[in-house]
Amino acid sequence: LRTSGRRDRQTHGGRPCLRNGRKCQALSPVFVCWASVSPVRIITDQSTPAFPGERSIITIGAYDGVHIGHQAVIDHVRRIAVERGCRSVLVTFDRHPATIVRPESAPKLLTGPDQKLVRLEATGLDAVVMVHFDEGQANESPEAFVQRVLVDHLAVSAIVVGDDFHFGRGRDGNVDLLRKLGAEADFDVEPLELIARADGVDEPVSSTAIRRALAGGDISLANAMLGHAFEVRGDVVKGDQRGRLLGFPTANVEVSNRMCLPADGVYAGHYERPDGTVHDCAINLGRRPTFYEHAETSLLEAHILDFDGDLYGEGAIVRFSHFLRSERKFDGIDALIEQLRSDVENARTLLIDTRE
């Protein structure tokens, strides 16, 4: 591998670090930038150097969900970047690699591309490099990927990854290979231990564990591992308006079938409109067995508390905070209405208690 042109870490090459056109205050041996935080730069073209004359501290991965394990890695990247006077960069992909290499078993996504970028933009990173993932990328060797993206494009100084990290064609790339390549191209590798689940289960926090918690309806555990409320996005579409006839009008939110959803059931949560206003809501996710014997897909319906308005055609963000009950079939309309009243009041109480 060609060298990435490393400069002395502690002196920053004898030159002051520049961010936002201003000099960083040097607190030897650590450089701390006192300039205001810049917006995260999104880079989709890796053909030229991203930061000419500067080095980067990098992490790589799908980062689906941007959960607390991801956040710990990002925090470590930013900390090292400050210490070395380098740029902090996350390298990810414009689609989950599994959709190309094993589409028949690709996981449902915790975050779509836009959601992921919103989460990453809040981390304080200098840049997110979005690599286009297709058949060609899937067949690129780990060595070629490191040279093209990490060395030539980002002038890597150090790579921070989980200790189970794999990448490249056939997942042949790993921490040991990165160390070997780093010795040739003058960069360090810092593997981090994965964060353990807080519920005592002997398993690290991972996107897979979060999907499993969602599948079981354990929204509290999923949210704890995410570090934020699980959310889905979609447009409000017309339904059969049965909720309105029952006295509980709902917004029917159409969610992409590529996205992960919690188990069917009733939840308390929040509904965000395009203007940024957020409302408490009771959420029904399911196939409505009281009315339909064999519905093929689950429908997401959000009853917004104390709201009366037209939502059709709007985009919506629905966040799941509490699991209330499983979906079930009722003997008749009256029994269903009584349960809906109870669901709404339970949601209201839980959401008020959470705020307090």
Side-chain angles (χ1 to χ4, degrees):
L1 291 176
R2 298 184 297 275
T3 180
S4 52
R6 186 178 200 159
R7 296 194 301 266
D8 182 88
R9 296 180 195 165
Q10 307 302 332
T11 65
H12 201 33
R15 296 190 295 274
C17 174
L18 294 176
R19 301 286 171 88
N20 301 330
R22 296 170 55 183
K23 291 183 179 180
C24 292
Q25 178 67 42
L27 300 177
S28 183
V30 177
F31 288 85
V32 179
C33 179
W34 297 108
S36 59
V37 175
S38 300
V40 175
R41 178 181 167 192
I42 309 300
I43 302 173
T44 58
D45 179 8
Q46 294 90 51
S47 62
T48 58
F51 300 104
E54 295 187 81
R55 303 294 300 282
S56 297
I57 310 299
I58 296 167
T59 185
I60 318 166
Y63 276 80
D64 186 26
V66 195
H67 54 63
I68 61 173
H70 294 148
Q71 294 164 34
V73 174
I74 292 170
D75 287 347
H76 196 66
V77 165
R78 295 185 64 225
R79 188 159 53 247
I80 297 174
V82 170
E83 291 171 355
R84 297 192 184 186
C86 296
R87 296 287 186 167
S88 58
V89 181
L90 185 147
V91 178
T92 189
F93 308 98
D94 62 356
R95 67 204 71 193
H96 198 290
T99 61
I100 300 297
V101 299
R102 48 180 179 88
E104 71 288 345
S105 60
K108 298 286 189 179
L109 297 177
L110 299 172
T111 47
D114 291 342
Q115 285 174 275
K116 183 164 74 170
L117 284 179
V118 167
R119 292 287 173 192
L120 293 176
E121 285 172 346
T123 62
L125 287 162
D126 286 317
V128 173
V129 174
M130 190 71 71
V131 177
H132 177 59
F133 201 93
D134 55 14
E135 289 285 352
Q137 182 60 58
N139 289 316
E140 186 174 36
S141 70
E143 294 86 351
F145 178 82
V146 168
Q147 184 67 60
R148 180 176 65 86
V149 178
L150 307 189
V151 176
D152 294 344
H153 179 56
L154 292 170
V156 56
S157 175
I159 300 174
V160 180
V161 291
D163 56 12
D164 68 340
F165 177 69
H166 290 80
F167 71 105
R169 184 179 58 218
R171 290 170 55 86
D172 291 340
N174 54 29
V175 171
D176 288 339
L177 177 63
L178 284 175
R179 285 198 175 105
K180 175 178 177 293
L181 299 178
E184 298 172 8
D186 204 13
F187 63 80
D188 299 330
V189 181
E190 296 207 13
L192 290 182
E193 290 187 8
L194 303 179
I195 291 181
R197 285 171 48 164
D199 60 350
V201 174
D202 186 17
E203 177 187 42
V205 171
S206 67
S207 301
T208 299
I210 294 168
R211 293 187 195 101
R212 193 183 309 120
L214 290 172
D218 196 342
I219 198 68
S220 296
L221 176 59
N223 288 349
M225 289 191 284
L226 282 166
H228 53 81
F230 176 72
E231 69 179 38
V232 295
R233 301 182 178 208
D235 293 330
V236 179
V237 298
K238 289 210 173 196
D240 55 21
Q241 299 188 323
R242 199 180 299 273
R244 184 174 297 278
L245 294 175
L246 297 175
F248 298 90
T250 60
N252 298 331
V253 181
E254 191 173 55
V255 180
S256 168
N257 60 12
R258 295 174 298 173
M259 303 305 299
C260 189
L261 286 171
D264 287 353
V266 180
Y267 299 81
H270 298 93
Y271 182 105
E272 182 173 340
R273 300 183 66 189
D275 63 4
T277 56
V278 179
H279 304 265
D280 292 348
C281 67
I283 306 160
N284 187 84
L285 178 62
R287 307 190 182 199
R288 301 172 292 171
T290 303
F291 300 105
Y292 300 98
E293 193 71 30
H294 301 293
E296 293 184 358
T297 58
S298 296
L299 179 69
L300 193 159
E301 303 171 287
H303 172 69
I304 304 176
L305 277 56
D306 308 316
F307 176 84
D308 183 20
D310 184 4
L311 302 172
Y312 289 127
E314 285 190 0
I317 302 174
V318 181
R319 299 186 178 97
F320 295 75
S321 299
H322 306 276
F323 177 80
L324 299 181
R325 64 174 175 87
S326 298
E327 185 178 48
R328 65 186 179 91
K329 183 176 181 178
F330 292 88
D331 293 334
I333 299 301
D334 290 342
L336 173 60
I337 290 174
E338 185 64 29
Q339 182 62 60
L340 292 177
R341 287 197 187 102
S342 177
D343 292 339
V344 168
E345 289 312 307
N346 286 341
R348 189 190 304 276
T349 299
L350 280 169
L351 294 170
I352 289 174
D353 290 346
T354 301
R355 282 195 292 272
E356 292 177 349

